[in-house]
């Protein structure tokens, strides 16, 4: 039987009950006059207001909250209901002096922001307030005035009627907090151990470098890009060489170890990396030319670390854009070379690519171990990859972490994974202050190196490992859904697995292979510049079916998101509903190019009603739904129409089956005035069928149903 299919069947035969001033018996559809409800508490005057201003309310009256400031609220007692999942709706009032409203059931938020302002007084029919899984009996509804639009002259609120429609059984949910503890590295104080300016008439720099110990003599050697300051990458034609009895020095300068040879296809040479195997030292390096899409990976060998001979196998392979910064290590029965490149030779996402070999000369085709969300050519977030093993875990050190390359130049991110060939979706465990960092091990001592343009030479710092928290969040489990809602260090849905047929077999539907699923900002340019940080507070309903992540700071901007996740068992299996509200408290550091909600799919294709598998690119406006799909599984993300304050664009990433819904998308950016913005409502639901468009339409109809 196709899972999660018939919404209408849940609504057939539903009884309707209109509730007067006194409590009434439970029913599947309850309508209540808001002014008749018992006020439990209020922070401002509450009245039963008679018809006025040309408006006739149901029953001739409305519940009127005469709020005087943001934060004022009223809590009322709802009539008793039978246990189940409910859509909650209302008839509300808009007026020139009305404020912005949020709604909560039993203390936990439901639904979206409602803007009560209008130029004249008017009734607004069929406003969806949200969804809640309710036990049998009575519950409490709280209406809070969170602020007001710039056009409003006040903070008042008016409620005419409320509707509770039972749309399914009560959710059976287990929501459990978790904390992941792991070993993480920390950098001690840096000490400059070598200045390449020695013997020169001006300042020189070391950049991408390698440090290796002579297996026979015990002498340590370093090889590095070197040149007079300032940085001149297209004129870097030699590798500096120095030796020392220990990694900390003292280091002695030697003549360059290797010079670029134009006859060998080397206009300039970059980023040497040296390893030892069976009596031979292998130096891998990038041979550069103006053909940036076809950089050559070259090899030179030595038996004494002083005299180097180019390999007749050169080029080992070619790749782009500026494929460079090789690092080689042993994994099992093969060698693995990691290097930085882009998703396509002409540019794209910055990636850590890898190739494998059994003889260090013949290398496999390219694969990708990690892809940055940042795009471009030249320098990016995947420079100088370095991979080390600690116990059962592999750690990827990679520079330069951040949207602004200049500011990120000394930011080396560290990711950990149990699979040395897959760091996609791996947790970033720390960021260290270093550029072009290498990990150096001398007996029991671990060091982190640092060098670069304008850095004054080669530096070392102690690298220590300690056990600490690397992730926090909540595991949400139902009979048909398992979600990892991550709250630290970045807030997102880290993974979502679904079992639409209820057979006990969960399949990945969302992952964190690229951005993860959740809100983000692009400030001063497209793509993710500011991720969602930890929430200031997490509110969870008593039954675990609603998680409200409150006050999520987005990057370092004066922008916060409230993100409500609601388990919504509307059909045979469970869905997950997402509501985002943005709050801007001050001017951003640059214009806002994107304020968006990203969907990171784990299935092969991403599309919408018009196209089953979208290529990477932008599509103007919002579709009714997007879908990530594969053999025997579809995950639909359906949009509640006009639930976001605008709907500019949808961006698709075919390589990651990803869709970004972008309420704000503007080349050149916009100034986003302080205030609150409805960020959008989406419903995730799964079907055990490939490209199930009929099911997608059902999901869209359900999330847009009038309460």
């Amino acid at each position: 039987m196709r899972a999660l299919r018939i919404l209408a069947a849940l609504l057939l035969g539903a009884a309707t009950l209109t509730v007067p001033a006194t409590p009434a018996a439970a029913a599947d559809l309850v309508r209540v006059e808001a002014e008749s409800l018992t006020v439990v508490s209020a922070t401002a005057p509450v009245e039963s207001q008679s018809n006025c201003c040309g408006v006739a309310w149901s029953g001739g009256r409305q519940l009127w909250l005469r709020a005087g400031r943001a934060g004022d609220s009223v809590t009322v007692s709802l009539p008793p209901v039978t246990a189940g999942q409910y859509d909650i709706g209302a008839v509300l009032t808009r007026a020139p002096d009305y404020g912005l409203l949020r709604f909560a059931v039993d203390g936990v938020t439901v639904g979206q922001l409602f803007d009560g302002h209008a130029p004249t007084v008017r009734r607004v029919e069929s406003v969806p307030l949200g969804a809640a899984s309710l036990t049998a009996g009575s519950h409490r509804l709280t209406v809070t005035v969170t602020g007001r639009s710039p056009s409003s002259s006040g903070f008042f609120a008016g409620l005419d009627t409320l509707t509770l429609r039972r749309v399914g059984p009560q959710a059976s949910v287990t929501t459990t907090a978790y904390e992941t503890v792991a070993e993480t590295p920390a950098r001690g104080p840096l000490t400059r151990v070598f200045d390449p300016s020695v013997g020169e008439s001006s300042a020189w720099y070391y950049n991408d470098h390698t440090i290796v110990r002579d297996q026979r003599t015990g002498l340590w050697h370093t090889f590095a890009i070197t040149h007079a300051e300032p940085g001149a990458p297209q004129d870097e034609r030699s590798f500096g060489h120095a030796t020392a009895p220990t990694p900390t020095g003292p280091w002695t300068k030697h003549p360059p170890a290797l010079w670029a040879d134009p006859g060998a296809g080397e206009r300039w040479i970059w980023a040497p990396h040296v390893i030892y195997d069976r009596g031979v030292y292998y130096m891998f390096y990038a041979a550069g030319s103006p053909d940036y899409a076809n950089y050559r990976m070259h090899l030179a060998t030595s038996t004494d670390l002083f005299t180097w001979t180019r390999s007749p196998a050169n080029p080992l392979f070619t790749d782009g854009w500026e494929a460079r910064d090789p690092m080689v290590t042993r994994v099992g029965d093969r060698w693995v070379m990691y290097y930085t490149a882009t998703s396509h030779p002409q540019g794209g996402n910055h990636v850590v690519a890898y190739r494998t070999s059994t003889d260090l000369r013949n290398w496999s085709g390219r694969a990708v171990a990690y892809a940055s969300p940042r795009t471009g050519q030249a320098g990016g977030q995947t420079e100088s990859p370095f991979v080390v093993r600690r116990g059962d875990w592999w750690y990827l050190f990679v520079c330069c972490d951040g949207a602004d390359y200049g500011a990120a130049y000394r930011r080396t991110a560290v990711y950990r994974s149990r699979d040395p060939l897959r760091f996609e979706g791996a947790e970033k465990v720390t960021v260290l202050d270093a550029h072009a960092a290498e990990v150096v091990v001398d007996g029991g001592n671990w060091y982190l190196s640092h060098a670069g343009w304008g850095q004054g030479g080669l530096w070392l710092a102690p690298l220590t490992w300690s056990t600490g928290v690397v992730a926090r969040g909540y595991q949400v489990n139902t009979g048909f859904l398992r979600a990892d809602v991550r709250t630290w260090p970045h807030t997102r849905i880290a993974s979502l697995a679904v079992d639409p047929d209820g057979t006990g077999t969960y399949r990945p539907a969302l992952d964190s292979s690229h951005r993860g699923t959740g809100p983000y900002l692009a400030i001063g340019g497209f793509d993710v510049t500011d991720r969602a940080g930890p929430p200031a507070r997490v509110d969870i309903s008593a039954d675990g079916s609603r998680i409200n992540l409150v006050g999520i700071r987005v990057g370092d901007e004066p922008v916060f998101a409230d993100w409500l996740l609601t388990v919504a068992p509307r059909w045979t299996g469970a869905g997950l509903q997402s509501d985002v509200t943005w709050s801007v408290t001050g001017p951003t550091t640059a214009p806002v190019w994107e304020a968006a909600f990203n969907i990171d799919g784990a299935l092969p294709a991403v599309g919408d009603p018009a196209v089953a598998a979208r290529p990477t690119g932008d599509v103007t406006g919002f579709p009714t739904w997007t879908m990530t799909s594969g053999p025997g599984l579809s995950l639909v993300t359906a949009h509640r129409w006009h639930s976001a304050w605008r709907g500019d664009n949808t961006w698709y990433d075919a390589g990651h089956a990803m869709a970004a819904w972008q309420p704000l998308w503007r080349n050149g950016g916009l100034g986003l005035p302080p205030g609150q913005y409805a960020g959008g409502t989406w419903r995730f639901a799964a079907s055990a069928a490939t490209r199930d468009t009929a099911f997608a339409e059902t999901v869209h109809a359900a999330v847009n149903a009038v309460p």
Side-chain angles (χ1 to χ4, degrees):
M1 175 181 176
R2 183 167 291 176
L4 309 177
R5 175 67 74 173
I6 306 299
L7 170 69
L10 297 175
L11 304 179
L12 292 177
T16 300
L17 181 67
T18 300
V19 181
T22 57
D28 283 349
L29 181 59
V30 176
R31 290 195 183 96
V32 58
E33 294 290 345
E35 71 275 5
S36 71
L37 297 175
T38 301
V39 175
V40 176
S41 63
T43 62
V46 179
E47 298 180 12
S48 175
Q49 184 185 24
S50 300
N51 292 340
C52 84
C53 315
V55 172
W57 289 295
S58 172
R61 292 179 176 275
Q62 72 160 348
L63 180 72
W64 189 27
L65 174 63
R66 296 175 60 189
R69 64 184 185 278
D72 277 344
S73 66
V74 58
T75 298
V76 296
S77 180
L78 297 174
V81 295
T82 56
Q85 182 78 17
Y86 285 82
D87 276 342
I88 306 170
V91 177
L92 301 176
T93 302
R94 282 192 168 122
D97 51 359
Y98 277 38
L100 298 166
L101 306 182
R102 290 302 300 271
F103 302 87
V105 172
D106 298 329
V108 179
T109 295
V110 292
Q112 270 293 349
L113 188 72
F114 175 78
D115 186 353
H117 175 264
T120 60
V121 181
R122 63 187 67 172
R123 294 173 76 242
V124 184
E125 302 278 357
S126 305
V127 178
L129 302 190
S133 183
L134 303 178
T135 58
S138 184
H139 298 266
R140 293 182 174 183
L141 175 73
T142 300
V143 183
T144 301
V145 181
T146 62
R148 63 183 178 186
S149 69
S151 302
S152 178
S153 61
F155 297 92
F156 292 168
L159 290 77
D160 189 4
T161 64
L162 293 169
T163 302
L164 293 89
R165 183 187 295 274
R166 187 175 184 270
V167 294
Q170 184 179 356
S172 178
V173 184
T174 301
T175 297
T176 307
Y178 72 86
E179 189 172 85
T180 301
V181 176
E183 196 174 38
T184 58
R187 196 217 74 183
L190 284 167
T191 300
R192 184 167 66 176
V193 295
F194 178 62
D195 182 357
S197 303
V198 172
E200 307 292 344
S201 59
S202 62
W204 279 58
Y205 60 81
Y206 259 22
N207 202 348
D208 303 87
H209 59 281
T210 186
I211 301 174
V212 62
R213 185 174 180 269
D214 188 316
Q215 297 295 307
R216 181 176 59 86
T217 67
L219 193 67
W220 288 84
H221 294 248
T222 184
F223 305 91
I225 296 173
T226 191
H227 193 275
E229 296 280 12
Q234 278 75 47
D235 194 45
E236 293 171 341
R237 305 178 190 277
S238 66
F239 289 152
H241 180 205
T243 58
T246 71
T248 58
W251 288 89
T252 300
K253 188 174 182 178
H254 296 282
L258 200 71
W259 287 88
D261 180 0
E266 302 172 354
R267 291 280 296 275
W268 49 82
I269 53 176
W270 286 348
H273 180 74
V274 178
I275 65 165
Y276 172 82
D277 183 48
R278 293 179 292 186
V280 178
Y281 296 92
Y282 295 77
M283 177 189 287
F284 300 93
Y285 61 96
S289 74
D291 185 2
Y292 300 104
N294 288 283
Y295 261 37
R296 301 158 59 99
M297 199 65 74
H298 280 192
L299 169 65
T301 59
S302 175
T303 57
D304 63 2
L305 291 166
F306 283 92
T307 301
W308 294 92
T309 303
R310 286 176 173 81
S311 170
N314 291 340
L316 305 181
F317 56 85
T318 62
D319 204 344
W321 182 274
E322 288 185 353
R324 53 187 168 81
D325 301 355
M327 182 268 170
V328 177
T329 191
R330 189 78 174 177
V331 177
D333 62 352
R334 57 185 168 168
W335 296 96
V336 178
M337 180 192 294
Y338 302 91
Y339 60 98
T340 184
T342 50
S343 53
H344 305 286
Q346 292 75 30
N349 292 95
H350 297 285
V351 303
V352 175
Y354 72 89
R355 298 174 188 249
T356 62
S357 175
T358 56
D359 63 4
L360 293 169
R361 291 174 176 82
N362 297 287
W363 293 87
S364 70
R366 185 179 93 154
V368 173
Y370 170 77
S372 163
R374 297 293 299 173
T375 59
Q377 294 172 329
Q381 290 183 319
T382 57
E383 291 189 15
S384 308
F386 200 96
V387 175
V388 297
R389 185 174 184 175
R390 293 278 296 183
D392 294 333
W393 293 92
W394 295 81
Y395 292 79
L396 167 66
F397 294 68
V398 66
C399 191
C400 302
D401 185 65
D404 182 333
Y405 183 75
Y409 191 72
R410 288 181 54 142
R411 288 176 55 86
T412 291
V414 184
Y415 300 85
R416 71 167 196 149
S417 171
R418 291 189 183 274
D419 184 348
L421 304 182
R422 182 175 173 83
F423 289 89
E424 291 278 2
E427 195 68 48
K428 183 195 297 184
V429 296
T430 192
V431 176
L432 303 175
D433 177 14
H435 176 76
E438 300 257 325
V439 176
V440 182
V441 181
D442 181 16
N445 297 318
W446 288 59
Y447 300 96
L448 189 76
S449 65
H450 162 70
W453 300 333
Q455 304 304 304
L458 178 65
W459 301 70
L460 277 187
L463 187 71
T464 58
W465 296 82
S466 59
T467 299
V469 175
V470 297
R472 292 190 182 96
Y474 295 85
Q475 292 286 347
V476 181
N477 291 279
T478 75
F480 297 86
L481 173 154
R482 289 179 178 172
D484 178 354
V485 180
R486 196 68 53 87
T487 59
W488 191 89
H490 297 287
T491 296
R492 67 189 191 277
I493 298 176
S495 66
L496 175 67
V498 295
D499 175 23
D501 281 336
T503 61
T505 303
Y506 290 84
R507 293 180 58 186
L510 299 176
D511 60 21
S512 293
S513 62
H514 200 38
R515 295 176 174 174
T517 296
Y520 72 87
L521 289 177
I523 305 293
F526 288 132
D527 217 329
V528 180
T529 64
D530 291 82
R531 295 180 182 272
R537 183 179 89 240
V538 180
D539 298 334
I540 303 176
S541 62
D543 64 352
S545 66
R546 276 174 291 144
I547 302 177
N548 191 28
L549 309 168
V550 183
I552 301 167
R553 179 74 178 267
V554 185
D556 60 355
E557 298 293 333
V559 182
F560 300 82
D562 290 351
W563 186 17
L564 171 67
L565 293 167
T566 304
V567 175
R570 307 306 172 109
W571 305 276
T572 304
L576 191 65
Q577 184 160 305
S578 166
D579 289 275
V580 177
T581 300
W582 296 93
S583 296
V584 181
T585 61
T588 56
T589 56
V592 182
W593 291 49
E594 297 178 52
F597 184 78
N598 190 72
I599 312 297
D600 201 340
L603 299 169
V606 60
D608 52 36
V611 179
R614 285 278 187 187
T616 298
D618 293 299
V619 178
T620 301
F622 279 4
T624 52
W625 47 263
T626 58
M627 179 191 297
T628 58
S629 60
L633 188 62
S634 299
L635 181 79
V636 174
T637 304
H639 175 56
R640 176 173 287 160
W641 210 240
H642 302 303
S643 58
W645 90 101
R646 54 195 291 162
D648 288 353
N649 194 70
T650 312
W651 183 77
Y652 295 87
D653 181 344
H656 294 88
M658 194 170 73
W661 299 72
Q662 299 162 326
L664 191 160
W665 181 88
R666 180 65 62 86
N667 190 3
L670 288 177
L672 202 56
Q676 296 174 297
Y677 300 84
T681 297
W682 292 272
R683 172 113 21 107
F684 305 109
S687 165
T690 306
R691 181 64 180 168
D692 195 343
T693 58
F695 170 69
E697 294 298 334
T698 303
V699 180
H700 179 257
V703 78
N704 283 279
V706 175

